[in-house]
Amino acid sequence: MKATAIAHTNIALIKYWGKRDENLILPANSSLSITLDKFYTETSVEWMEDAKNDLFSLNGQIKQDAKVAQFLKILRAELDIPYFAKIDSVNHVPTAAGLASSASAFAALAVAGSAALGRQDDLANLSRLARRGSGSAARSLFGGLSIWEKGSRLDGLDSYAVPFNSPLTEKMAVVVAVVSDAEKAVSSRDGMKSTVLTSPFFHEWIQTAEEDLRNIKSAFLSGKFVEVGEILEHNAMKMHATTLGAKPPFTYFSPASLTVMDEVRKLRDEGIPAYFTMDAGPNVKIICLRENEKMVSSRMQKLVKDVYICHAGEGAKVIQVD
Amino acid sequence: MKATAIAHTNIALIKYWGKRDENLILPANSSLSITLDKFYTETSVEWMEDAKNDLFSLNGQIKQDAKVAQFLKILRAELDIPYFAKIDSVNHVPTAAGLASSASAFAALAVAGSAALGRQDDLANLSRLARRGSGSAARSLFGGLSIWEKGSRLDGLDSYAVPFNSPLTEKMAVVVAVVSDAEKAVSSRDGMKSTVLTSPFFHEWIQTAEEDLRNIKSAFLSGKFVEVGEILEHNAMKMHATTLGAKPPFTYFSPASLTVMDEVRKLRDEGIPAYFTMDAGPNVKIICLRENEKMVSSRMQKLVKDVYICHAGEGAKVIQVD
């Protein structure tokens, strides 16, 4: 009843921003991401017949984590077992990377938890399960590009991720420019919620995000990188526009984020196709072609402390069953 | 046939952002501003019976200016005269202030041009006229607070500014934090146009700006400064959200703008009611109470080079008729 799994983080190119159901973590729009090779979580789950509590350790330290506790309840219900679990999780996402690790964490937990019961769950099912821990975890089941279909059912059964193929996947790089590793002032969960409830731009964000997804899929299929880049940058800026409309307004932009974005625009002026995206934090991720990754990275190193070059990573997988 | 007039700049608290008629400069929403005492333009106009061209000098130097040339054509048509004009204009808006001088410039030009014919034009008429040079100039006719009513007529006859009184007018200060005096990358005229044509958020911006105006008028009338501040800051952020939605996206935020905005939030955390607004450029204007103006100003001086403290200024007026 013990298994170990790994899952990689992912970066959304068409953002998930806003839930239609807070409890089931159902998104208001479909999103598309690329899974990154550099950063992952390794998690073992052991279901214990005679344990009286769950026991969770992260990077070797026992932790109380409300989200994990809540997810284990869901896991027990979905897998239909009565046992508590012993969980050991190691995040291979350097704190300095300032990247959210919840996507890789909940994907690895869902996969290991299911495998520990000897189940061969299909990926759609595991994606659906991972989603209940953190929305973006649904996408970390798959390597390369992944689309989380929002679905339309109230019970969320049709809201899970599927893989998406493009001739660009292996040609692209994601350069992560780390502006700050400090905890964000507004969590993505709270930021989303405030946006849904108070921003006059939320409706149009959702409408146009669906259009963006259609357009970027078509650009990805025909291998048009510039089109992909323009769509993903516009999509990210629209997401950040919604937070300026919230009441009270807030922003995830920091001064250094703007400096990095300006540098990316300069790179484009110099003929290098590079585009930026940002999530619910100040770090900027630059999407470029692998042939330009070193150049882009060295330009960013002049502006920020830490820069990571990532490529498309693998999907989540079981690495050991005891 | 010669007269000299002065008009002060103004800062919009409910922004004018987007035209419904490019040619007549008719706005998509009504706006509200405060006229500033520190910065003004002094302009003399002499209608010359035998001149063959207009002659325009700015700060003592002859200039070719397409906007002025176009405005003089309109002025001739509206005032129904055949003469060319000699214009001497001096901007008492230090370049370092990084403030747009077109509002004070076209207001002074409209007032002097009319007075030079010996006319006692009413202020509504002059505001309507000034609007044809630069939309925000319509508001510079009045001292203190001024509301530019968008109007609904296709010919723009009902689109002009009116004064608005509040017990707060004489209690407020505007602290201008000059982040950069460089020319903006995207002019307000072009930025507006791109936003109207391409931003999915434009419609909601206009809808909510009208609500903001109703609410800020009510807060101004009852002297509630905190409410005024919250509305004006939210309104400004919504305007800037629209530019992130434009295609391609753009922003008037610079890294230093964000630093200044963060400092204003800190001031609020310390109990000082201060709120920020920004126009189509990186400088930040902080609206506070006069009793806190020195404190706010000294905090800003640590972050930026130039800081100006302004109060409510006077309306446009004729200072000499020859």
Side-chain angles (χ1 to χ4, degrees), chain A residues 198 200-201 204-205 208 233-234 237-238 240-242 244-251 253-256 258-259 262 265, chain B residues 198 200-201 204-205 208 233-234 237-238 240-242 244-251 253-256 258-259 262 265:
Chain A
T198 69
F201 306 133
E204 287 301 318
W205 151 250
T208 64
E233 188 171 301
H234 188 216
M237 292 302 99
K238 285 188 292 186
H240 288 279
T242 65
L244 293 175
K247 203 168 171 176
F250 65 100
T251 184
F253 292 171
S254 78
L258 293 188
T259 305
D262 272 342
R265 287 191 198 95
Chain B
T198 69
F201 306 133
E204 286 302 318
W205 151 250
T208 64
E233 188 171 300
H234 189 217
M237 292 302 99
K238 286 188 291 186
H240 289 278
T242 65
L244 292 175
K247 202 170 171 176
F250 65 100
T251 184
F253 291 171
S254 78
L258 293 189
T259 304
D262 273 342
R265 287 191 199 95

Side-chain angles (χ1 to χ4, degrees), chain B residues 66-109:
Chain B
K67 276 196 200 173
V68 170
Q70 173 62 19
F71 184 65
L72 287 170
K73 271 189 205 167
I74 292 166
L75 213 50
R76 263 188 289 277
E78 293 288 323
L79 300 175
D80 196 22
I81 46 164
Y83 313 126
F84 287 100
K86 183 173 174 302
I87 291 137
D88 288 299
S89 199
V90 178
N91 258 339
H92 297 267
V93 184
T95 314
L99 292 171
S101 52
S102 61
S104 54
F106 285 103
L109 193 48

Side-chain angles (χ1 to χ4, degrees), chain A residues 204-231:
Chain A
E204 287 301 318
W205 151 250
I206 293 302
Q207 293 302 112
T208 64
E210 292 293 338
E211 277 172 49
D212 291 345
L213 180 60
R214 280 196 296 280
N215 293 334
I216 208 170
K217 279 165 77 172
S218 152
F220 263 126
L221 286 173
S222 49
K224 292 182 178 161
F225 180 71
V226 169
E227 239 174 74
V228 164
E230 287 173 353
I231 296 166

